[in-house]
């Protein structure tokens, strides 16, 4: 009651008031620590909790506070307040006077409201930093820049993250956490690219753009891919590149060995050295599962333009009817390990004879069982013939067993002969009609020709072997067009015919060899109607005979038991130099020397082609080989004449005269 | 060459000893056909394409009449055979360990 007490009370209340004011201020602006007012305010512990418990007190103090904050507005404290005296006493402390009446007038007080947006928590992590898309400063990292373009380009496949950009920091390697990985998805690849070629950022940019754009395109073009693969250009490209790739694939094991293994290379060299004593050495065989199984090799030829190419034609495959009947394959001997043919060609009926066109590097010709002659071109991608002769009476109607290209580069013809004895000459550019055709008949009997050869570079004279066993010689033009001479000797169809074709000091071009089903091989001269010699070492059908193109006295025969012989007349005229029988139940159908005479190629009835390397002494004739051959031929003649005499004994006195006449005739002939 | 033969040949190539995969891409570096998984395909398509282009331009710069036909890169682990062409490129990966 004393003024001192009241003063003390007032002091306390003032302090409390101050406190309350401050707390109120704090409550109003809780999150702005920057408010200048706070700077001056000493740190105060919130003591509101204590005072909250007492609402009346708060009200009073609020009332007091209110009155205090607006000194302008004078609270209308009921004058009937008991503390009127005190109120009057402390008019300045009106605020402190607890009004007896609770009726307070609460007036609206506009408070300054400051709204602060929620503070963005910017977190930086080493690995991932999300950046808003939109226009950014191009001077910023170009990687970011391109990422922006990325975003624009394609919609994000995964939901949720609008800004999906990966920042590759320069120092660190990239690491992805599990969350970002799926969203990045296929862009991993391009990001990996960036990592690697970080230094070439501009190029990177292009690449990833390209990569990204290709990603986009790829997702859309599955059908387009199919279309592309069917397109002509693609097929073209593919046939070329696949060939190159296959060759290099097959070559690389050996090439690689050479690379790495020095001792390996040495052993390779050793292997390649042939034994001097070894006459032939197996090189390789050509066989294709799909195309040559169950087919007989019907004809072989080697190319003059590319001596490593071997052409082989095959008979029809009885086992599988859906494969085409006519198959012709080109094999490459250069690539030792590649087992597939370079080219495959088909036609409707099986091919009985085939030949490379000597004067056109990409043309192949085939004569078929139906009598059609077909032309294939390696330049096209097609497997079917580009030209076909008509099946008409003007061309052949029987199987075409022999084809040969004769003439020169500018004037060349294809000569074909069929089983009915018809010989046609064709112009390769125009195969619809033969240029000329001739029916071969010997003394009004048509010749069923199985073999035909134009000796050397002859274009007019030819030799023919027939089914009856006779050989004939004839000419195409001239006074005596047609068959002129016949050579009788064989008892069975002639299967092989080969004219001597070695250029040397002595000309043996009148010699030719024939092989026949009568188990024998006979040597003839064009001038003699009787064989010069007969080689009868075979015990079954002899299917082919070939002179060596380089050695005058060497020839090759093959027969149906799988046996093939190499003969050297200078060495021995009775027995072959080498006689080998192949394993298994193989029958050899065709044989051929390569153009340089260093390899022999044998075709059998199971679709296999075998290549052998021939020893050098059989490929490099010496000068006296020619002379030796001449003397051997002399011997033959003498033998035949003696045999003739022995077979035809006459009376004693005439034998002497016969002997003298034969001697004279011998001298006459030599 | 029909589609089936293309497939046949590709299968044959793929089954060759040591071949890890092949890839055919067009001039834009888009893979047309591939036996590798899509990540590797993309990588190889873009990288090898750029290398092939660089090689091709290098050869042509040295001699304008010359052109790039084929190249192989032998690395420690693989051999990459690349046959570039006017419109398409064929890439084959072969392991060197196998041989």
């Amino acid at each position: 009651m004393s003024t001192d007490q009241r003063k003390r009370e007032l002091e306390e209340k003032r302090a409390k008031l101050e406190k309350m004011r401050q707390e109120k201020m704090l409550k109003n602006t809780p999150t702005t620590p920057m408010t200048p007012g706070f700077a001056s305010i000493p740190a105060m512990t919130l003591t509101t909790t204590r005072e909250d418990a007492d609402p009346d007190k708060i009200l009073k103090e609020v009332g007091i506070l209110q009155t205090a904050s607006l000194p302008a507005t004078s609270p209308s404290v009921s004058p009937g307040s008991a503390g009127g005296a005190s109120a009057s006493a402390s008019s300045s402390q009106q605020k402190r006077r607890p009004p007896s009446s609770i009726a307070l007038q609460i007036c609206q007080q506009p408070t300054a409201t400051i709204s602060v947006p929620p503070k963005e928590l910017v977190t930086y992590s080493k690995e991932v930093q999300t950046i808003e898309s939109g226009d950014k400063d191009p001077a910023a990292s170009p990687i970011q820049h391109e990422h922006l373009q990325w975003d624009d380009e394609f919609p994000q496949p995964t939901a949720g993250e609008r800004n999906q950009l990966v920042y590759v920091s320069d120092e660190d390697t990239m690491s992805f956490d599990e969350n970002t990985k799926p969203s990045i998805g296929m862009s991993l690849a391009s990001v990996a690219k960036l990592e690697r070629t970080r230094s070439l950022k501009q190029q990177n940019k292009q690449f990833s753009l390209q990569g990204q754009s290709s990603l986009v395109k790829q997702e859309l073009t599955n059908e387009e891919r199919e279309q592309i693969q069917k397109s002509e250009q693609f097929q073209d490209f593919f046939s070329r590149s696949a060939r190159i790739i296959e060759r290099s694939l097959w070559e690389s094991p050996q090439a690689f060995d050479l690379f790495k293994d020095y001792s390996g290379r040495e052993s390779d060299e050793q292997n390649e050295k042939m034994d001097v004593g070894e006459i032939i050495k197996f090189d390789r065989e050509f066989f294709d599962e799909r195309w040559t199984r169950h087919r007989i090799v019907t004809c072989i030829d080697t190319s003059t333009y590319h001596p490593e190419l071997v052409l082989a034609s095959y008979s029809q495959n009885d086992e599988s009817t859906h494969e085409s009947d006519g198959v012709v394959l080109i094999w490459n001997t250069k690539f030792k390990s590649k087992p597939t043919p370079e080219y495959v060609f088909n036609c409707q009926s099986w091919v009985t004879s085939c030949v490379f066109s000597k004067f056109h590097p990409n043309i192949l010709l085939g004569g078929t069982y139906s009598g059609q002659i077909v032309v294939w071109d390696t330049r096209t991608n097609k497997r079917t013939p580009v030209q076909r002769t008509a099946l008409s009476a003007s061309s052949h109607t029987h199987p075409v067993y022999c084809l040969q290209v004769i003439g020169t580069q500018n004037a060349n013809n294809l000569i074909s002969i069929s089983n009915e004895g018809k010989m046609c000459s064709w112009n390769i550019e125009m195969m619809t009609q033969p240029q000329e055709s001739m029916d071969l008949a010997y003394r009004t009997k048509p010749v069923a020709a199985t073999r035909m050869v134009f000796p050397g570079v002859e274009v007019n004279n030819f030799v023919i072997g027939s089914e009856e066993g006779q050989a004939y010689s004839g000419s195409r033009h001239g006074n005596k067009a047609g068959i002129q001479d016949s050579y009788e000797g064989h008892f069975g169809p002639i299967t092989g015919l080969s004219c001597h074709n070695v250029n040397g000091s002595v000309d043996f071009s009148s010699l030719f060899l024939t092989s026949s089903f009568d188990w024998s091989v006979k040597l003839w001269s064009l001038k003699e109607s009787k064989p010069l010699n007969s080689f009868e070492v075979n015990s079954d059908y002899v299917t082919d005979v070939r002179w060596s193109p380089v050695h005058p006295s060497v020839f090759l025969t093959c027969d149906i038991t799988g046996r093939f012989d190499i003969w050297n007349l200078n060495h021995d005229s009775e027995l072959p130099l080498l006689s080998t029988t192949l394993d298994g139940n193989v029958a050899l159908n065709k044989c051929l020397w390569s153009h340089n005479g260093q390899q022999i190629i044998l075709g059998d009835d199971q679709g296999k082609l075998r290549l052998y390397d021939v020893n050098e002494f059989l490929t490099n004739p010496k000068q006296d080989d020619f002379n030796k051959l001449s003397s051997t031929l002399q011997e033959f003649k003498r033998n035949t004449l003696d045999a003739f005499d022995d077979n035809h004994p006459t009376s004693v006195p005439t034998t002497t005269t016969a002997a003298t006449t034969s001697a004279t005739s011998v001298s006459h002939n030599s | 060459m029909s589609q089936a033969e293309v497939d046949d040949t590709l299968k044959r190539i793929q089954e060759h000893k040591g071949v890890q995969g092949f890839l055919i891409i067009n001039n834009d570096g888009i893979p047309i056909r591939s036996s590798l998984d899509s990540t590797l395909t993309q990588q190889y398509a873009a990288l090898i394409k750029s290398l092939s282009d660089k090689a091709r331009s290098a050869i042509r710069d040295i001699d304008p009449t010359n052109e790039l036909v084929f190249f192989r890169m032998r690395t420690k682990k693989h051999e990459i055979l690349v046959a570039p062409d006017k419109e398409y490129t064929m890439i084959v990966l072969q392991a060197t360990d196998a041989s």
Side-chain angles (χ1 to χ4, degrees):
Chain A
M1 281 298 283
S2 65
T3 47
D4 285 334
Q5 267 186 341
R6 194 153 290 234
K7 266 187 188 171
R8 243 180 280 124
E9 275 178 38
L10 284 168
E11 295 285 336
E12 278 169 44
K13 286 207 174 144
R14 210 177 281 140
K16 275 183 202 164
L17 199 139
E18 288 292 315
K19 259 194 238 169
M20 288 301 292
R21 201 183 294 144
Q22 281 158 23
E23 276 152 29
K24 192 176 178 185
M25 291 287 273
L26 268 169
K27 273 181 201 161
N28 281 342
T29 63
T31 57
T32 52
M34 314 297 188
T35 328
F38 280 127
S40 50
I41 293 167
M44 277 181 6
T45 55
L46 286 166
T47 49
T48 47
T49 49
R50 257 180 263 153
E51 268 120 13
D52 280 343
D54 195 348
D56 278 350
K57 220 175 178 183
I58 288 168
L59 273 171
K60 284 179 203 165
E61 280 158 3
V62 164
I64 291 166
L65 274 166
Q66 276 186 334
T67 53
S69 55
L70 291 171
T73 57
S74 52
S76 55
V77 180
S78 61
S81 59
S86 59
S88 60
S90 53
S91 59
S92 61
Q93 298 160 357
Q94 261 181 359
K95 51 182 175 173
R96 309 224 57 245
R97 181 149 323 178
S100 54
S101 74
I102 306 173
L104 286 167
Q105 264 199 359
I106 300 168
C107 60
Q108 288 281 336
Q109 190 183 342
T111 55
T113 53
I114 307 162
S115 67
V116 178
K119 185 177 166 190
E120 235 181 272
L121 251 173
V122 178
T123 54
Y124 293 89
S125 76
K126 268 188 189 175
E127 300 140 311
V128 171
Q129 184 177 32
T130 55
I131 303 162
E132 270 183 43
S133 71
D135 282 331
K136 283 257 176 172
D137 183 14
S141 163
I143 296 171
Q144 288 184 351
H145 188 54
E146 68 197 329
H147 283 207
L148 298 173
Q149 288 177 312
W150 237 18
D151 254 3
D152 290 342
E153 276 208 354
F154 62 95
Q156 288 300 322
T158 60
E161 298 184 25
R162 199 199 160 265
N163 305 327
Q164 273 197 91
L165 297 163
V166 178
Y167 177 74
V168 182
S169 65
D170 280 323
E171 306 82 18
D172 304 326
T173 55
M174 277 200 308
S175 57
F176 298 104
D177 56 20
E178 284 314 301
N179 293 333
T180 50
K181 251 186 196 162
S183 58
I184 291 168
M186 290 203 281
S187 58
L188 253 179
S190 44
V191 175
K193 265 185 283 168
L194 292 170
E195 184 185 49
R196 262 180 239 126
T197 54
R198 208 174 288 137
S199 52
L200 304 160
K201 280 184 179 170
Q202 278 309 306
Q203 272 179 315
N204 266 352
K205 181 172 162 181
Q206 284 169 8
F207 286 159
S208 63
L209 282 179
Q210 248 186 1
Q212 289 315 303
S213 62
S214 70
L215 271 178
V216 177
K217 281 181 199 164
Q218 189 197 31
E219 285 167 15
L220 303 170
T221 61
N222 256 318
E223 297 84 25
E224 270 183 43
R225 266 193 265 167
E226 291 293 310
Q227 262 190 334
I228 290 173
Q229 287 187 55
K230 291 196 180 104
S231 73
E232 199 49 48
Q233 295 166 321
F234 184 83
Q235 305 283 353
D236 260 346
F237 147 78
F238 189 79
S239 57
R240 278 195 306 271
S241 321
R243 215 166 271 139
I244 299 176
I245 292 266
E246 280 214 79
R247 285 185 205 153
S248 36
L249 273 180
W250 285 105
E251 284 307 293
S252 30
Q254 291 171 358
F256 187 68
D257 280 348
L258 288 175
F259 248 96
K260 268 220 150 179
D261 197 7
Y262 187 78
S263 60
R265 185 169 67 163
E266 277 186 341
S267 67
D268 269 343
E269 281 176 348
Q270 279 172 1
N271 286 340
E272 277 164 6
K273 233 189 254 172
M274 273 195 300
D275 280 350
V276 183
E278 220 179 61
I279 300 169
I280 60 164
K281 191 183 137 242
F282 180 72
D283 183 20
R284 61 177 302 186
E285 66 178 27
F286 287 121
F287 178 74
D288 186 78
E289 189 59 45
R290 184 177 168 203
W291 292 112
T292 64
R293 189 167 269 283
H294 302 302
R295 292 182 198 250
I296 308 173
V297 176
T298 55
C299 200
I300 318 175
D301 192 24
T302 53
S303 166
T304 43
Y305 284 95
H306 308 284
E308 69 267 11
L309 293 182
V310 173
L311 172 69
S313 64
Y314 299 86
S315 67
Q316 82 276 35
N317 187 346
D318 292 323
E319 305 281 322
S320 72
T321 46
H322 60 271
E323 297 279 0
S324 48
D325 273 348
V327 171
V328 158
L329 303 178
I330 297 188
W331 299 90
N332 195 329
T333 60
K334 219 192 246 181
F335 298 110
K336 300 288 173 187
S337 356
K338 184 180 169 206
T340 48
E342 289 283 325
Y343 291 93
V344 179
F345 294 104
N346 295 127
C347 75
Q348 281 167 327
S349 87
W350 60 277
V351 183
T352 50
S353 65
C354 63
V355 73
F356 273 107
S357 167
K358 259 196 272 185
F359 306 107
H360 306 89
N362 346 10
I363 304 275
L364 327 168
L365 303 150
T368 65
Y369 189 70
S370 62
Q372 262 190 334
I373 298 175
V374 289
V375 181
W376 287 285
D377 193 333
T378 58
R379 284 173 297 203
T380 66
N381 262 335
K382 296 194 318 175
R383 286 192 174 182
T384 48
V386 292
Q387 274 199 75
R388 234 175 262 132
T389 65
L391 272 169
S392 71
S394 58
S395 75
H396 301 285
T397 53
H398 279 66
V400 177
Y401 277 124
C402 238
L403 287 175
Q404 192 166 349
V405 177
I406 58 169
T408 58
Q409 178 69 42
N410 299 320
N412 48 54
N413 279 325
L414 170 72
I415 311 291
S416 63
I417 193 155
S418 71
N419 215 9
E420 67 206 321
K422 194 161 192 179
M423 173 189 265
C424 292
S425 109
W426 308 81
N427 182 1
I428 294 179
E429 271 92 43
M430 205 197 65
M431 297 289 278
T432 48
Q433 253 195 352
Q435 278 189 334
E436 58 173 19
S437 72
M438 196 162 60
D439 278 309
L440 300 168
Y442 182 68
R443 295 183 186 151
T444 71
K445 204 176 60 158
V447 167
T450 56
R451 284 281 163 264
M452 170 192 73
V453 177
F454 278 78
V457 290
E458 275 278 353
V459 294
N460 202 15
N461 300 319
F462 54 83
V463 187
I464 288 192
S466 76
E467 260 181 10
E468 277 94 40
Q470 291 96 341
Y472 301 98
S473 75
S475 55
R476 283 173 60 213
H477 310 292
N479 289 340
K480 292 187 187 178
I483 303 280
Q484 280 145 14
D485 300 315
S486 97
Y487 304 91
E488 316 241 341
H490 278 295
F491 304 111
I494 289 179
T495 54
L497 180 69
S498 177
C499 288
H500 198 276
N501 198 8
V502 178
N503 294 326
S505 55
V506 189
D507 180 33
F508 296 110
S509 55
S510 64
L511 291 181
F512 66 96
L513 284 165
T514 56
S515 68
S516 148
F517 274 10
D518 69 355
W519 301 10
S520 73
V521 173
K522 295 197 196 302
L523 172 68
W524 310 76
S525 161
L526 281 170
K527 304 170 201 143
E528 308 271 330
S529 62
K530 291 283 167 210
L532 295 173
N533 200 1
S534 175
F535 307 96
E536 292 176 34
V537 294
N538 293 83
S539 48
D540 213 330
Y541 297 169
V542 186
T543 47
D544 207 359
V545 65
R546 293 271 170 173
W547 281 109
S548 159
V550 289
H551 200 291
S553 60
V554 172
F555 65 91
L556 170 70
T557 65
C558 62
D559 76 1
I560 247 186
T561 61
R563 173 184 161 165
F564 64 96
D565 304 332
I566 298 189
W567 292 75
N568 187 349
L569 290 173
N570 288 343
H571 177 258
D572 188 346
S573 63
E574 301 286 314
L575 290 172
L577 180 65
L578 173 76
S579 172
T580 326
T581 313
L582 293 172
D583 291 332
N585 219 356
V586 219
L588 289 170
N589 199 27
K590 281 264 148 219
C591 62
L592 185 72
W593 292 83
S594 64
H595 281 298
N596 55 12
Q598 286 171 356
Q599 276 197 327
I600 56 175
I601 308 167
L602 303 162
D604 69 6
D605 67 334
Q606 289 170 358
K608 271 199 202 155
L609 280 171
R610 287 179 180 76
L611 268 79
Y612 290 84
D613 290 320
V614 172
N615 199 316
E616 282 173 352
F617 74 87
L618 288 176
T619 57
N620 296 333
K622 296 185 214 45
Q623 185 50 44
D624 62 324
D625 277 327
F626 291 89
N627 301 331
K628 261 200 205 171
L629 186 60
S630 323
S631 50
T632 315
L633 290 172
Q634 297 292 342
E635 222 183 277
F636 285 155
K637 282 186 194 143
R638 246 173 283 130
N639 290 342
T640 49
L641 287 163
D642 287 344
F644 179 72
D645 291 336
D646 290 340
N647 286 338
H648 297 76
T650 53
S651 54
V652 172
T654 48
T655 49
T656 49
T657 48
T660 48
T661 47
S662 63
T664 49
S665 59
V666 165
S667 53
H668 187 67
N669 282 340
S670 60
Chain B
M1 239 192 168
S2 74
Q3 179 61 27
E5 281 157 16
V6 168
D7 293 336
D8 255 353
T9 311
L10 285 173
K11 196 168 87 115
R12 208 173 46 226
I13 290 176
Q14 190 164 10
E15 288 170 352
H16 190 283
K17 185 173 74 163
V19 169
Q20 293 179 337
F22 65 86
L23 177 58
I24 300 180
I25 58 178
N26 75 353
N27 260 357
D28 300 326
I30 304 173
I32 292 183
R33 190 144 171 182
S34 163
S35 74
L36 305 163
D37 61 53
S38 85
T39 331
L40 269 180
T41 301
Q42 289 299 322
Q43 274 185 314
Y44 273 101
L47 293 168
I48 303 285
K49 183 73 182 57
S50 67
L51 180 67
S52 159
D53 288 340
K54 192 81 184 164
R56 193 184 281 175
S57 65
I59 298 291
R60 261 189 293 168
D61 285 345
I62 293 173
D63 179 5
T65 60
N66 203 354
E67 57 175 274
L68 178 66
V69 169
F70 181 78
F71 67 95
R72 310 176 162 192
M73 284 192 294
R74 191 166 285 136
T75 71
K76 262 202 229 158
K77 293 184 198 160
H78 320 286
E79 182 160 8
I80 305 175
L81 308 146
V82 182
D85 198 79
K86 271 196 290 291
E87 284 128 18
Y88 306 95
T89 299
M90 184 151 166
I91 303 166
V92 174
L93 285 162
Q94 195 186 22
T96 49
D97 299 352
S99 47

